[in-house]
Amino acid sequence: MFTLPGHVAIGGIVRGDLVTPSVPLLAKEQVERLPERAREVVEYRKSGLSLNHIQGCPLDCAYCIRHTYGLWDQRQPRALMPDAEAVRQLVQHRYFQPHVTPVQVFNRATDPFLPAVRAHTFAVLEDLDRRGLTNHLLVITRYQMIPADVERLNQLLHLKVTLLFTYSGIENTRIEPYPSRVAAGSLKLMSAPSRRRYRTVLYWRPLVPGLNDSDEHLHRACELARYADATVFTGLFYRDEIAAYYRANHLPEPYDETARRKIVPETLEQRVLAVFGMSVPLFRKTSCAVSYVHGMPDYNGHYGIREMCDICPLSQLARCAGAHRAPTRKCLEQVAAVLPEGHQMEVVEIDERAAVVSGLDTEQPRYYLQHALGFQVHDVAHPHRTRRHGRADIGWKDTTDDD
């Protein structure tokens, strides 16, 4: 049971602003028994190189991505290695570029501000900051933050820290047991100081038709967005493992099929845009919002996909336009050559919208290229459809045009 309001104790002890972490460190043989993907503590995801050496979460959101890593049943946070070793593996990783690579912390298998995890989150951030790194650092949470977090985050001198508060407004406790009002409160708390080094983003997700898309839900999110430096809206990752969990537990299935990309039906997007208008900075992509709040061009180079930018503030459009440079074929091949996987890559075509490549077995080296170049890099095997903004085809009218 979650105890609200006030300080919450799950997997640790909280007394006022004093947090006593209690994340057990797994033995080597325990780590070796984990699923293969769970053992990969540094993994590239589109919005950044993701560090996940602590795994396990008691919040039990039914749609959690932990399903796809074989970690759904792991509810107590556990460490696969000490924080210092995890940071060392991150900065020595072949995909990490100092001052360039966006980094995410604990966004795959736990919440970074659970009482038992909070101290580890700060240990990682402070270690990276002491190294003088200026990389984007994304921290995604739905948990209760405390006033002491403001002071400690403000002590970071170099990292470009963005707090992204996951808020859905979902009221079905079988799908989302931990209430969205906690994230809303944390967003307001952390956005309130007039002087702060970090930035705040309302991470409005997942939007699911019939679950949290009523007019009331949309207007409530619009009001909450006024507290944040920017807002991102996005849909549901509905993978096979998540769909199987829904069926096994007799949960209302949101879609008849699964997809490798997030699902945001066209009519839902149109309703969101109609409610928000130009009242607050609103973005379709995480990297666009994160870059905007720090006054920088989008590190994923979405500017080439111009229909994606039709809701962006004019100031951000100008920044992205000034940074937009399509790489030459030779430049792309040279950047790829530093990676072992890059030798099998072939450049299919390059235009002002994106570079299209083939021959890469996974998404991860493509993300490396995208961040190194600040330009969209697409895989020919997974084409991007016009106006769908890199989302799943579900809920959109048929089209044969690719972007």
Side-chain angles (χ1 to χ4, degrees):
M1 178 180 294
F2 301 109
T3 305
L4 292 168
H7 295 305
V8 184
I10 297 179
I13 302 171
V14 181
R15 295 187 181 93
D17 287 344
L18 176 64
V19 179
T20 303
S22 59
V23 174
L25 180 64
L26 295 181
K28 181 180 178 181
E29 55 271 20
Q30 291 175 301
V31 174
E32 291 173 348
R33 289 198 294 268
L34 291 173
E36 181 179 359
R37 290 193 67 197
R39 296 196 302 271
E40 187 178 9
V41 300
V42 180
E43 176 195 46
Y44 228 140
R45 308 186 75 182
K46 186 180 179 185
S47 290
L49 194 58
S50 182
L51 181 64
N52 292 281
H53 62 287
I54 294 180
Q55 302 175 359
C57 182
L59 302 186
D60 282 352
C61 303
Y63 49 79
C64 184
I65 199 69
R66 294 198 335 270
H67 288 289
T68 67
Y69 291 91
L71 291 169
W72 171 249
D73 292 328
Q74 182 51 48
R75 291 175 171 81
Q76 178 187 1
R78 306 177 302 176
L80 278 64
M81 62 186 66
D83 300 323
E85 171 61 17
V87 172
R88 186 191 67 79
Q89 288 197 19
L90 172 69
V91 299
Q92 293 182 4
H93 198 278
R94 67 184 184 280
Y95 291 145
F96 181 78
Q97 301 173 81
H99 315 298
V100 174
T101 307
V103 175
Q104 299 171 309
V105 177
F106 303 147
N107 67 316
R108 191 182 73 182
T110 193
D111 188 291
F113 288 102
L114 289 171
V117 181
R118 175 182 264 106
H120 300 273
T121 299
F122 279 116
V124 169
L125 269 59
E126 290 163 358
D127 188 335
L128 292 169
D129 195 67
R130 283 194 299 270
R131 296 168 186 260
L133 295 168
T134 60
N135 302 62
H136 281 290
L137 196 295
L138 285 66
V139 187
I140 304 170
T141 183
R142 67 187 318 125
Y143 202 71
Q144 181 181 9
M145 300 194 69
I146 57 179
D149 295 332
V150 174
E151 180 180 354
R152 197 159 179 185
L153 286 168
N154 273 334
Q155 292 174 2
L156 302 173
L157 300 178
H158 306 289
L159 294 170
K160 292 185 282 290
V161 176
T162 305
L163 303 177
L164 299 101
F165 296 91
T166 297
Y167 169 91
S168 69
I170 292 174
E171 293 146 355
N172 186 331
T173 57
R174 296 187 64 214
I175 293 175
E176 194 174 287
Y178 196 64
S180 284
R181 68 178 182 272
V182 180
S186 291
L187 169 62
K188 294 175 183 179
L189 170 71
M190 300 305 291
S191 299
S194 57
R195 299 185 66 178
R196 48 185 166 86
R197 294 181 178 274
Y198 61 88
R199 299 293 181 263
T200 61
V201 169
L202 171 59
Y203 216 12
W204 186 19
R205 64 171 192 171
L207 276 167
V208 183
L211 189 61
N212 63 338
D213 68 332
S214 70
D215 290 345
E216 182 181 354
H217 282 104
L218 270 55
H219 284 285
R220 193 182 305 150
C222 187
E223 287 301 310
L224 182 59
R226 300 181 190 280
Y227 292 91
D229 296 323
T231 296
V232 178
F233 72 99
T234 191
L236 178 69
F237 265 132
Y238 198 52
R239 301 287 178 81
D240 290 343
E241 298 90 342
I242 298 172
Y245 177 82
Y246 272 55
R247 288 192 294 270
N249 289 274
H250 308 290
L251 296 173
E253 297 179 52
Y255 301 103
D256 295 330
E257 55 186 314
T258 58
R260 61 180 290 276
R261 291 176 172 145
K262 292 177 183 176
I263 306 170
V264 182
E266 184 175 15
T267 54
L268 179 51
E269 170 165 306
Q270 291 171 346
R271 291 179 57 221
V272 168
L273 299 184
V275 168
F276 271 69
M278 303 298 289
S279 60
V280 296
L282 179 69
F283 298 90
R284 295 182 173 100
K285 295 295 182 179
T286 303
S287 65
C288 296
V290 168
S291 300
Y292 167 76
V293 298
H294 288 279
M296 301 187 69
D298 172 33
Y299 60 76
N300 266 324
H302 286 112
Y303 181 78
I305 316 298
R306 293 309 304 278
E307 64 272 15
M308 193 177 293
C309 308
D310 60 2
I311 63 174
C312 295
L314 293 178
S315 60
Q316 187 63 12
L317 282 173
R319 291 188 192 103
C320 293
H324 186 66
R325 301 286 187 278
T328 63
R329 181 181 295 262
K330 181 179 180 180
C331 176
L332 180 53
E333 291 173 343
Q334 286 177 336
V335 174
V338 304
L339 299 176
E341 311 96 305
H343 298 289
Q344 60 192 16
M345 184 196 78
E346 295 184 9
V347 180
V348 177
E349 63 176 327
I350 302 175
D351 59 24
E352 286 299 310
R353 293 169 67 81
V356 180
V357 302
S358 65
L360 296 176
D361 292 335
T362 69
E363 302 272 46
Q364 297 196 56
R366 184 168 65 83
Y367 298 151
Y368 172 90
L369 297 174
Q370 197 157 274
H371 295 148
L373 297 166
F375 191 81
Q376 283 279 286
V377 179
H378 297 168
D379 191 318
V380 70
H382 304 294
H384 287 230
R385 307 295 184 185
T386 299
R387 295 175 47 252
R388 298 184 193 178
H389 316 304
R391 297 167 177 159
D393 293 343
I394 297 169
W396 287 79
K397 296 175 184 176
D398 291 337
T399 177
T400 58
D401 296 331
D402 296 345
D403 69 29

